[in-house]
Amino acid sequence: MAMEYSSPASLGIDPAAITAFADAVDTKGLGVHGLVVARHGRVAAESWWHPYRPDEPHMMFSVSKAFTSMAVGLAISEGLLALDEPTHEIFPEFREIPGQTVRHLLTMTTGHGDDLWGVLRALPERDGVELFFESPAEYPPGTHFVYSTASTYVLAAAVVRRAGVSLTEYLDERLFGPLGWATPQWERDARGLEHGGTGLKLTTRQLAQFGQLLLQRGQWDGRQLVPAEWVDQASAHQVRNPWFGSHESEVGYGFQLWRSSHGFRADGMCGQFAVVIPELDLVIATTSGSPDANRILEAIWRELLPGVTPGHEPAGDPDGAAFALDGRHVPDPRLEATDAAAEAAFAGQIFSLPGNPTGIERLSISFAADTVALETSGAAIGTRRLVAGRAEWVDGRLPGTPLESLREVPVAARAGWLNGALEVHQQLVGTPFRWIWRLIPDGPEGPRLVSRFHPDLGLASKLDLLLTPGQ
């Protein structure tokens, strides 16, 4: 069941505060892509920054952990798991970590000194759960917080083992379906197990609905979907979390949910937030591509919350007049005037790109008055054509990427010249990322393609390739 809409004023929210928040994140370049503000169970405002749109699921990253937590709570309520059950009883075939329980997986206090997710991802041919238990615990479980996607992966595996169905199937019947959602996409490992701690994709509206479910202590449309006691425990301060070195990352940690300066939140990298503030009966959801996500939270506290009237009670029926921020869009690239001579040098040539991870083997570029077109081909990707607008974003298909998880995402593209190079900005809709290509016509060894992602998360996206003409 979708949430109903009402004007901000009817819900005790000053719309100027919503605008102030949007202006602040835009001015600071914090990369918000979608925003939903809800109070008293009604949506007061929602907006998307072009080319992002309401119906496109967005990568959730560690918001996924909160959904795995709900699955664990449901499994406990059904007698499939127990909070203080030793992990060795669930996975007796693997090496035991003495004293480690389900609670320690939930609170990121497994005893390991580092997150093992990188190890698990680097060895896809191995059983990830086995690798987790093979890794020695450096601390007594329960004594040392280490933010760990690997811990949530093992939680997902525990639910799957005891329930006998996939994590997605388990939540489909109990959570996704009752919320009125089609089955969301959730990335899986080579064995078909959902990543648990990352990999889920949701729309901004779905993220807001999940926040509302948490605010209502697991109740939705008259049904108790998740036990209220579990939501209370999951959102409570369970453990100190001195980890990321910023205030909002050290307020406290629950069962895969974060405590905040105001309320609590589901939190995903780059600014995927479902902020829940029970004392104001308020939910704020953002999907974003921010290199400094905690500054989005600071903008909520500083700009939006002062416009929310404490103690307000809803009056009357929903009026359907939610507030929308008009004309918001992702930052346009800074580009210069067309370089006609350089375009003439590129046009009509076919370049080869040997030995690169994108799947692109050949590249050609053509120019028109309003657009730049790139045609790419390769055995792994077939032939693809990306059209980029000179003055506006043009929707298209990604020409190739070094990251498997991004191969089929929608893209909007702009192109133009900057400092003697043709820049092609590809905004990967449904992700935090912009992939920026710089095609340099006169490098010391010949034409080159240099690329990077923004935000830069250490992904395998930085390329520096010699373009060999005439092949």
Side-chain angles (χ1 to χ4, degrees):
M1 174 179 169
M3 296 170 68
E4 296 179 304
Y5 289 74
S6 281
S7 62
S10 72
L11 300 174
I13 302 174
D14 182 353
I18 300 169
T19 300
F21 165 77
D23 289 345
V25 297
D26 284 351
T27 299
K28 294 177 172 62
L30 297 182
V32 171
H33 299 154
L35 170 69
V36 176
V37 180
R39 195 177 193 196
H40 308 319
R42 303 175 190 172
V43 174
E46 60 177 22
S47 285
W48 285 266
W49 277 246
H50 181 78
Y52 291 82
R53 49 188 181 262
D55 60 344
E56 184 65 45
H58 200 284
M59 297 173 78
M60 289 289 104
F61 297 102
S62 287
V63 167
S64 311
K65 294 177 171 66
F67 283 85
T68 300
S69 173
M70 296 303 108
V72 172
L74 285 162
I76 289 173
S77 72
E78 295 170 5
L80 302 177
L81 293 169
L83 183 58
D84 292 308
E85 181 176 9
T87 53
H88 191 60
E89 291 185 5
I90 306 169
F91 301 105
E93 70 272 33
F94 302 134
R95 191 183 71 85
E96 181 178 7
I97 298 178
Q100 188 189 83
T101 67
V102 170
R103 182 188 299 272
H104 299 136
L105 295 173
L106 287 161
T107 58
M108 308 286 192
T109 57
T110 62
H112 293 114
D114 295 291
D115 183 8
L116 301 170
W117 185 240
V119 176
L120 273 56
R121 296 285 282 162
L123 298 169
E125 72 282 359
R126 293 286 308 276
D127 185 317
V129 178
E130 182 179 14
L131 281 171
F132 179 88
F133 288 110
E134 278 183 0
S135 302
E138 301 170 38
Y139 304 90
T143 65
H144 184 72
F145 179 88
V146 170
Y147 190 69
S148 170
T149 296
S151 298
T152 318
Y153 171 83
V154 175
L155 284 171
V159 173
V160 169
R161 171 161 291 196
R162 290 291 175 79
V165 296
S166 74
L167 185 64
T168 304
E169 290 175 295
Y170 186 74
L171 286 175
D172 230 356
E173 179 183 345
R174 294 160 177 82
L175 196 65
F176 302 147
L179 286 171
W181 301 356
T183 305
Q185 181 181 345
W186 204 328
E187 288 183 51
R188 302 178 183 229
D189 68 8
R191 288 169 170 72
L193 178 64
E194 291 91 344
H195 290 171
T198 189
L200 187 64
K201 291 186 176 181
L202 299 174
T203 67
T204 322
R205 285 173 176 157
Q206 289 174 326
L207 184 57
Q209 289 175 332
F210 180 62
Q212 188 66 34
L213 176 76
L214 296 175
L215 178 63
Q216 294 169 182
R217 301 178 65 226
Q219 189 179 85
W220 190 263
D221 197 22
R223 293 178 58 187
Q224 194 70 43
L225 303 187
V226 181
E229 297 79 6
W230 183 258
V231 177
D232 292 345
Q233 290 183 78
S235 60
H237 187 301
Q238 297 288 345
V239 64
R240 290 183 63 251
N241 57 331
W243 188 246
F244 288 112
S246 65
H247 174 70
E248 290 302 329
S249 298
E250 296 184 346
V251 178
Y253 197 72
F255 293 159
Q256 311 282 292
L257 291 168
W258 296 80
R259 296 298 303 174
S260 297
S261 295
H262 301 272
F264 62 92
R265 68 188 188 275
D267 183 324
M269 184 172 66
C270 296
Q272 324 317 314
F273 292 127
V275 177
V276 181
I277 307 178
E279 58 269 27
L280 293 175
D281 200 20
L282 183 69
V283 172
I284 301 164
T286 64
T287 45
S288 312
S290 178
D292 192 358
N294 278 342
R295 294 178 67 196
I296 296 174
L297 296 174
E298 293 167 3
I300 292 173
W301 313 152
R302 185 171 52 252
E303 306 293 346
L304 206 161
L305 290 194
V308 180
T309 303
H312 179 270
E313 295 293 334
D317 295 328
D319 59 24
F323 179 69
L325 296 158
D326 295 328
R328 299 287 166 167
H329 57 83
V330 298
D332 290 326
R334 181 175 64 89
L335 300 171
E336 298 170 346
T338 299
D339 188 332
E343 290 189 2
F346 267 143
Q349 294 206 59
I350 298 175
F351 298 99
S352 67
L353 289 76
N356 75 84
T358 66
I360 299 172
E361 298 171 8
R362 288 169 299 281
L363 165 69
S364 63
I365 310 165
S366 58
F367 300 91
D370 298 325
T371 59
V372 176
L374 289 81
E375 186 167 295
T376 59
S377 60
I381 64 170
T383 298
R384 300 188 177 194
R385 181 177 172 84
L386 176 75
V387 178
R390 293 185 189 265
E392 61 184 23
W393 295 94
V394 176
D395 293 338
R397 188 183 185 199
L398 201 64
T401 168
L403 303 172
E404 181 65 33
S405 61
L406 302 179
R407 289 208 184 272
E408 297 301 329
V409 301
V411 63
R414 287 279 306 273
W417 290 88
L418 182 65
N419 298 329
L422 175 65
E423 285 205 350
V424 181
H425 288 241
Q426 303 167 67
Q427 193 74 41
L428 279 59
V429 180
T431 87
F433 304 118
R434 180 178 296 192
W435 199 18
I436 302 170
W437 285 17
R438 282 181 59 81
L439 292 134
I440 304 167
D442 54 358
E445 302 172 49
R448 303 196 74 84
L449 167 61
V450 179
S451 78
R452 62 182 175 87
F453 273 160
H454 178 79
D456 181 1
L457 304 175
L459 302 172
S461 60
K462 293 181 180 178
L463 303 176
D464 188 350
L465 306 172
L466 184 66
L467 301 177
T468 305
Q471 298 183 27

